Amino acid sequence: TIVVFDRIRENLKKAGSRAPFENVVETSLRETMTRSINTSLTVMLVMLTLYLFGGISTKFFSLAILIGVFAGTYSSIFIASFLLVSWHKFSLKS
């Protein structure tokens, strides 16, 4: 989420007030999507391997990390940016 929001902040500085906020968010998501998914898949692959081949003491830990990385990636890409755009639209109305 921080990476996506930082990219949005940088793109807002570049675009200024010329581009609509929704387009800046979409551009920022497109720029960070591949990097975020690749990083998450790499961590998830390692955690899945640790879960399958690791000892009994690491199974629950790796499963928790696996679920957390999946949920965090999903929320960063799909939920956080949607909420940011919705919040921005709401703030313009009031």
Side-chain angles (χ1 to χ4, degrees), residues 21-92:
F21 185 72
E22 296 85 3
N23 292 352
V24 173
V25 171
E26 181 182 352
T27 302
S28 303
L29 276 176
R30 288 179 190 269
E31 290 175 358
T32 58
M33 181 94 63
T34 306
R35 180 176 139 192
S36 297
I37 290 175
N38 285 341
T39 303
S40 298
L41 285 178
T42 303
V43 171
M44 289 172 69
L45 180 66
V46 171
M47 289 298 118
L48 185 63
T49 304
L50 190 59
Y51 179 77
L52 294 175
F53 301 114
I56 192 71
S57 61
T58 60
K59 282 206 185 284
F60 293 115
F61 174 73
S62 59
L63 182 63
I65 298 291
L66 188 65
I67 293 169
V69 168
F70 177 78
T73 303
Y74 180 82
S75 69
S76 294
I77 294 173
F78 298 108
I79 297 175
S81 2
F82 172 75
L83 289 176
L84 180 66
V85 170
S86 299
W87 188 10
H88 179 73
K89 285 183 179 182
F90 180 75
S91 69
L92 292 178

